[in-house]
């Protein structure tokens, strides 16, 4: 979560040169999506280990879907609210 926040913050600030409000929102959205996807993975797979590499495919797929839905859904909602467009149009 921290790595996602730092990478998004640096990319939005120095590479994309976005306005401050977009930098803050995108950084928070990215960190939140990573955190919730990780929680989903832990709930679905039951455990994780630093010493051994084992991936639960169902948990991983669920985490990927959760991340994508949360990040893209949140951004679409923010764009919809800020522009007045319908959510289905964003």
């Amino acid at each position: 979560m921290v790595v996602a926040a730092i990478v998004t913050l640096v990319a939005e600030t120095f590479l994309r040169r976005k306005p401050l409000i977009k930098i803050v929102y995108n950084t928070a959205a990215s960190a939140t999506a990573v955190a919730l996807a990780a929680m989903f993975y832990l709930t679905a797979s039951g455990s994780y280990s630093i010493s051994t590499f084992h991936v639960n495919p169902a948990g991983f797929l669920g985490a990927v879907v959760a991340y994508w839905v949360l990040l893209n859904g949140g951004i679409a909602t923010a764009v919809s609210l800020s522009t007045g467009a319908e959510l289905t149009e964003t």
Side-chain angles (χ1 to χ4, degrees):
M1 187 172 99
V2 173
V3 171
I6 291 170
V7 168
T8 304
L9 179 66
V10 169
E12 297 292 307
T13 303
F14 299 110
L15 299 177
R16 296 182 181 146
R17 301 184 188 274
K18 299 265 180 142
L20 181 61
I21 189 72
K22 290 183 180 181
I23 293 169
V24 171
Y25 178 81
N26 290 342
T27 301
S30 179
T32 303
V34 167
L36 293 174
M39 288 174 31
F40 185 90
Y41 178 79
L42 289 176
T43 301
S45 66
S47 66
Y48 67 95
S49 174
I50 295 173
S51 61
T52 61
F53 183 76
H54 173 72
V55 176
N56 178 329
F60 180 75
L61 181 61
V64 168
V65 170
Y67 174 81
W68 187 84
V69 167
L70 291 165
L71 188 63
N72 291 318
I75 290 173
T77 301
V79 168
S80 173
L81 291 172
S82 66
T83 63
E86 291 292 324
L87 186 57
T88 57
E89 295 174 6
T90 57

